[in-house]
């Protein structure tokens, strides 16, 4: 069975990239229910490139560090860019983890939920693909929570269960208008994973989740990758227009790999 759900993270990244650094009521999104996505300006960022690297590692059983470094060279991201320490890590093969709590941990982890055959394996895989760089406890936590939300959603857990789990890990009680007015660009897991969880938990569909991410703004390509990865797993439906957009933007090899990710639900 073709796995369309894996594209949730990619679509969140591509369209979330349009609203990164949006801070105020005068920002690009006047409300979250009625605005047009500028698909010509949208493109994938480093979030998709590293999500792809994780998928390659899991499919081929190759070392995840090697995959990340090799793929970063093969696919320079057309939008966005790597953080300073991660960029240094990519070019220095002798460099190990650097105690990061950055939200790169959460944005790239989504494929592990599709490969895991149990909750414990999902946690183990999330740790494996994260600790090579983000070995700070908040980085590891962010990756695990995003992965488990996707895993639980894939396997039929309802919103009440997901809300209870998310709330046991973070405060996810926000007001969307308050976030739209006051949320700034945040790159740590502890200040962006909760907002991504909120965007999903308060949504009514995949597209509604995506629009909420864009309306909130901030590091919206990354919060989009996280929130929409959960949303696609939960709603199990992505509008065709978004799938078509993703495949228009991605290199053919990325599409081939993403289409090969197992859908064991």
């Amino acid at each position: 069975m073709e796995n369309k759900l894996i594209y949730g993270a990619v679509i969140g990244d591509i369209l979330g990239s349009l609203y990164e650094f949006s801070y105020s009521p005068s920002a690009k999104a006047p409300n979250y229910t009625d605005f047009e996505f500028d698909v010509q300006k949208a493109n994938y960022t480093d979030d998709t490139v590293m999500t792809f690297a994780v998928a390659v590692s899991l499919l081929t059983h190759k070392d995840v560090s090697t995959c990340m470094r090799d793929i970063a060279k093969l696919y320079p991201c057309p939008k966005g860019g790597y953080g300073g320490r991660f960029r240094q890590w990519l070019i220095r093969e002798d460099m190990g983890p650097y105690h990061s709590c950055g939200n790169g941990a959460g944005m790239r982890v989504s494929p592990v939920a599709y490969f895991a055959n149990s909750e414990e394996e999902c946690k183990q895989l999330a740790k494996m693909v994260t600790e090579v760089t983000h070995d700070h406890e908040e980085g590891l936590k962010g990756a695990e929570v995003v992965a488990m939300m996707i895993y639980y959603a894939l396997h039929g857990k309802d919103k009440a269960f997901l809300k209870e789990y998310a709330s046991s890990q973070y405060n996810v009680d926000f007001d969307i208008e308050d976030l739209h007015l006051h949320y700034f660009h945040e790159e740590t897991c502890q200040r962006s994973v909760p907002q991504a969880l909120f965007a999903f938990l308060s949504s009514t569909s995949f597209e509604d989740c995506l629009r909420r991410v864009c309306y909130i703004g901030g590091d919206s390509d990354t919060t989009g990758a996280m929130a929409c990865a959960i949303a696609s797993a939960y709603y199990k439906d992505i509008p065709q227009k978004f799938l078509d957009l993703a495949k228009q933007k991605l290199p053919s090899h990325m599409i081939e790999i993403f289409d090969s990710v197992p859908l064991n639900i």
Side-chain angles (χ1 to χ4, degrees):
M1 182 187 298
E2 181 185 0
N3 186 353
K4 297 180 179 180
L5 305 184
I6 192 69
Y7 287 95
V10 176
I11 294 163
D13 174 40
I14 290 173
L15 290 171
S17 72
L18 291 168
Y19 297 91
E20 189 174 15
F21 302 108
S22 297
Y23 299 133
S24 71
S26 61
K28 292 169 254 184
N31 58 66
Y32 67 86
T33 59
D34 184 26
F35 63 89
E36 294 296 323
F37 294 107
D38 189 346
V39 297
Q40 296 303 314
K41 291 183 179 179
N43 216 325
Y44 68 90
T45 78
D46 53 297
D47 297 28
T48 291
V49 176
M50 287 298 106
T51 300
F52 172 64
V54 169
V56 169
S57 173
L58 294 172
L59 275 170
T60 63
H61 306 287
K62 292 182 179 177
D63 175 70
V64 68
S65 297
T66 301
C67 288
M68 287 178 184
R69 289 178 168 123
D70 289 349
I71 285 166
K73 294 173 186 174
L74 284 173
Y75 297 103
C77 43
K79 291 191 75 174
Y82 300 107
R85 286 190 296 169
F86 187 75
R87 188 165 57 247
Q88 184 182 24
W89 180 88
L90 285 172
I91 62 177
R92 279 189 50 192
E93 294 189 6
D94 63 332
M95 185 174 172
Y98 48 89
H99 207 53
S100 175
C101 61
N103 57 17
M107 59 82 162
R108 73 191 189 207
V109 78
S110 58
V112 308
Y114 292 86
F115 286 86
N117 292 307
S118 66
E119 294 180 29
E120 189 56 36
E121 186 178 17
C122 188
K123 293 176 183 179
Q124 291 171 353
L125 289 175
K127 184 174 187 288
M128 181 188 77
V129 304
T130 302
E131 65 185 357
V132 294
T133 53
H134 293 58
D135 58 336
H136 188 285
E137 62 181 11
E138 290 291 349
L140 292 167
K141 175 184 175 180
E144 180 177 301
V145 171
V146 172
M148 292 306 299
M149 288 286 287
I150 299 168
Y151 178 85
Y152 287 138
L154 281 172
H155 292 275
K157 298 297 186 182
D158 61 19
K159 274 274 183 80
F161 178 94
L162 293 169
K163 175 70 179 292
E164 183 177 1
Y165 170 71
S167 299
S168 73
Q169 304 298 317
Y170 296 105
N171 172 27
V172 293
D173 291 322
F174 298 106
D175 176 81
I176 193 168
E177 296 299 335
D178 183 64
L179 288 174
H180 177 62
L181 290 171
H182 302 298
Y183 183 59
F184 288 83
H185 191 275
E186 295 281 3
E187 295 184 350
T188 63
C189 279
Q190 56 268 43
R191 294 193 178 97
S192 58
V193 173
Q195 287 75 14
L197 298 178
F198 166 77
F200 159 68
L201 290 167
S202 61
S203 69
T204 58
S205 67
F206 178 86
E207 183 167 349
D208 187 50
C209 176
L210 175 62
R211 289 180 175 278
R212 287 169 181 268
V213 165
C214 295
Y215 188 65
I216 291 168
D219 194 9
S220 50
D221 56 336
T222 299
T223 53
M226 296 186 288
C228 292
I230 303 168
S232 63
Y234 178 78
Y235 294 112
K236 296 181 174 60
D237 177 57
I238 300 175
Q240 191 63 43
K241 62 183 178 180
F242 295 134
L243 289 167
D244 291 343
L245 173 65
K247 294 194 175 186
Q248 287 168 12
K249 300 291 183 179
L250 294 179
S252 59
H253 185 220
M254 285 193 184
I255 295 170
E256 179 184 347
I257 292 294
F258 283 133
D259 284 349
S260 299
V261 171
L263 185 58
N264 300 318
I265 58 174

